[in-house]
Amino acid sequence: MEDSLNPRGLNAAFGNDPAPLPLFQRWLAEAGEAELNDPTAFALATVDAAGQPSVRMLLLKGASEAGFVFYTNMNSRKAGELRGNPKASMCFHWKNLCRQVRISGSVTLVSDEEADAYFASRDHASKVGAWASLQSSAMASRGEFEQRVMEYRAKYPEGSDVPRPPHWSGWLLQPGEVEFWLNADARLHERLLYTAQADGSWSQALLYP
Ligand SMILES: Cc1cc2nc3c(=O)[nH]c(=O)nc-3n(C[C@H](O)[C@H](O)[C@H](O)COP(=O)(O)O)c2cc1C
């Protein structure tokens, strides 16, 4: 019989929000309690000019009505692919909660002010590392990289101000779709898909597992 308080028949963990952000924030907070480490970790898929997808793990650094923010090296493979094709997908998997969230949409660069503010919040060693790493470029030896780290440690000693490197910034993914997935017995999982509408509202659909 249909439950009048829960007409969709979904697990209470999905709540009843008209937009996906509150549910995402709830699940992320619950992951922060339940997961061993890195609850903000997600896989980011991008696509190159030949249509070849590539995927890698990143850490989420912001979630708001504007979208989902991550930071990286602007000379990296992912950044090149995003410049060529600003469409991307994110996938969060919270193992202890047996939950997945998939988000897809378009990316834009965050403002310099926003990137500066986030970079300033990083610890000194991470700031120096951002200068030293030519992320995703080939290097001759590990020693070559260690040499660069030493040079930048000398340039920016502990306690000194480290400016944000010009090749380091963030992207904002504005979601067009957000899908929440919850494990259920016998693989009868539950899926709720939010799709952005032209007027700014969201439609909702339940999907077969
Ligand atoms: C848990 C985890 C979190 C990571 N977070 C970031 C991140 O926030 N930014 C980043 O540039 N790379 C991060 N990395 C490294 C990336 O997975 C990847 O190796 C790097 O960004 C180069 O990717 P690309 O060559 O596809 O551009 C992380 C790796 C792991 C395993």
Side-chain angles (χ1 to χ4, degrees):
M1 203 175 77
E2 199 173 75
D3 177 351
S4 60
L5 294 176
N6 182 14
R8 299 186 300 185
L10 282 179
N11 188 294
F14 286 95
N16 197 16
D17 304 288
L21 185 64
L23 178 53
F24 177 82
Q25 287 174 326
R26 255 189 340 268
W27 280 23
L28 182 62
E30 288 167 17
E33 299 291 319
E35 300 297 329
L36 192 59
N37 58 22
D38 289 342
T40 64
F42 65 95
L44 178 82
T46 55
V47 177
D48 74 8
Q52 170 65 54
S54 64
V55 65
R56 78 289 289 152
M57 299 302 295
L58 298 178
L59 297 178
L60 186 74
K61 296 298 175 182
S64 70
E65 294 292 348
F68 299 84
V69 176
F70 54 90
Y71 286 89
T72 194
N73 184 305
M74 290 294 143
N75 298 323
S76 65
R77 175 175 177 173
K78 75 182 86 53
E81 293 184 359
L82 289 172
R83 272 193 297 274
N85 174 4
K87 290 183 166 43
S89 286
M90 302 171 139
C91 184
F92 294 81
H93 178 214
W94 294 303
K95 286 191 172 65
N96 287 343
L97 294 173
C98 302
R99 291 176 182 173
Q100 169 181 256
V101 175
R102 297 161 69 186
I103 303 172
S104 61
S106 297
V107 296
T108 51
L109 285 172
V110 303
S111 68
D112 284 345
E113 294 71 33
E114 193 176 342
D116 286 343
Y118 173 65
F119 190 77
S121 76
R122 287 163 60 104
D123 63 57
H124 186 265
S126 304
K127 291 176 181 170
V128 170
W131 277 99
S133 174
L134 306 173
Q135 191 180 64
S136 309
S137 299
M139 61 187 183
S141 68
R142 183 79 189 166
E144 179 187 301
F145 176 44
E146 286 165 2
Q147 181 64 35
R148 288 180 61 84
V149 172
M150 278 176 4
E151 284 166 16
Y152 280 103
R153 274 191 197 143
K155 184 168 182 186
Y156 300 117
E158 192 73 48
S160 66
D161 277 348
V162 185
R164 177 171 62 88
H167 59 256
W168 193 97
S169 191
W171 298 87
L172 172 77
L173 187 146
Q174 294 166 284
E177 286 189 348
V178 184
E179 186 209 311
F180 296 86
W181 182 103
L182 179 61
N183 184 68
D185 288 346
R187 305 210 171 133
L188 305 180
H189 315 302
E190 301 187 51
R191 299 172 65 188
L192 173 60
L193 173 66
Y194 286 86
T195 304
Q197 305 298 297
D199 67 0
S201 67
W202 292 85
S203 69
Q204 295 179 40
L206 308 190
L207 302 179
Y208 279 92

